Amino acid sequence: PVQAAEFVRRETAALRHASAVIATSETTKRLLVADFGVPAEKITVAEPGVDPAERAAGSGGETVELLAVGSLVPRKGYDVLIAALAGLADKPWRLTIVGADDRAPATTAALKEQIAAAGLSERIRLAGALGQPELDATYAKADLFVMPSLFEGYGMVLTEALARGLPILCTTGGAAAETAPDGAALKVPPGDVTALRAGLARLLDDGQERSQRSAAAWQAAGTLPRWRWTATIVADVCARVSP
């Protein structure tokens, strides 16, 4: 808490010197106004873009392939996800977590220990960072996208999952609640093992619900912002504040 308070103090001080602020979501904009004292008129929202992608075909098997994408850092809540899955060992699933494993070495080590202690080493794969072709292939064979983050300023991986028509289970941490449409995503409170386990059990058991949420995700894919739109917004802000 002491370190967190110091970070807020420094960020608030730095933001006072900004001629303009670009936020990645309306949620982050509201946070900047409420907690950091940034005047709303100084803030422009430029949601990150997402590239068009082919719709995921899925695994085609009885075992549900779960996919999570994001660096192995405490904020991503992977320990919560592993704890939730530990109570669902009787169900047919496998989990792949894609993301850099060198950002927080202590977290990576703790996750490996947690997986081993739960007896899930054969069912949970920490894939590390992947190149784009490998990442695309991993998305293509996934059946359900899972994001257990404690907080997201936007949640780019959610839009990447939507772009591939994947059904989603995510938390309501930060902007994640707004980034993924309700029809495409089942949402649970962040940090809640019981709620996450219940959501996983529901979607693992109900292939029809996964299909319905997949259809909603694929429909939403056509409305996602593209990088050209994002770049245009950012460029306009830069042009206004340039001397």
Side-chain angles (χ1 to χ4, degrees):
V2 173
Q3 187 182 47
E6 177 62 11
F7 284 158
V8 171
R9 185 194 68 78
R10 293 183 186 184
E11 190 79 1
T12 301
L15 286 165
R16 290 195 193 104
H17 296 281
S19 300
V21 176
I22 299 170
T24 53
S25 68
E26 290 292 342
T27 299
T28 299
K29 177 179 178 177
R30 292 193 295 269
L31 184 69
L32 289 170
V33 173
D35 294 354
F36 295 88
V38 181
E41 60 271 17
K42 275 192 175 185
I43 305 172
T44 299
V45 174
E47 292 184 352
V50 62
D51 294 323
E54 293 186 8
R55 188 170 184 172
S59 64
E62 294 184 2
T63 298
V64 178
E65 294 289 345
L66 309 175
L67 173 62
V69 178
S71 300
L72 305 190
V73 295
R75 180 173 58 83
K76 295 299 183 180
Y78 292 132
D79 56 333
V80 180
L81 176 58
I82 294 165
L85 286 170
L88 299 173
D90 60 325
K91 297 187 183 297
W93 58 266
R94 279 192 298 262
L95 168 66
T96 299
I97 299 177
V98 176
D101 56 11
D102 58 353
R103 307 286 177 84
T107 296
T108 299
L111 291 174
K112 290 179 178 178
E113 291 177 6
Q114 184 184 8
I115 292 168
L120 298 175
S121 298
E122 299 300 316
R123 303 180 72 179
I124 298 179
R125 174 187 171 221
L126 302 180
L130 298 180
Q132 195 61 50
E134 294 85 0
L135 180 60
D136 288 340
T138 305
Y139 269 116
K141 68 179 182 181
D143 297 307
L144 176 63
F145 189 84
V146 185
M147 194 194 76
S149 289
L150 304 180
F151 180 89
E152 290 289 335
Y154 177 65
M156 287 176 61
V157 294
L158 291 176
T159 56
E160 291 176 1
L162 290 171
R164 293 165 170 84
L166 282 172
I168 294 170
L169 173 59
C170 68
T171 70
T172 54
E178 297 179 355
T179 301
D182 290 340
L186 178 61
K187 302 170 186 179
V188 299
D192 189 328
V193 173
T194 302
L196 186 59
R197 181 179 295 149
L200 284 163
R202 172 175 159 181
L203 292 174
L204 288 171
D205 290 343
D206 194 340
Q208 183 176 358
E209 181 175 355
R210 293 200 307 273
S211 295
Q212 291 170 346
R213 293 189 181 279
S214 172
W218 187 242
Q219 183 176 10
T223 67
L224 295 173
R226 302 304 181 199
W227 282 113
R228 177 175 293 277
W229 307 348
T230 307
T232 298
I233 294 170
V234 174
D236 287 346
V237 174
C238 292
R240 290 203 307 269
V241 300
S242 294

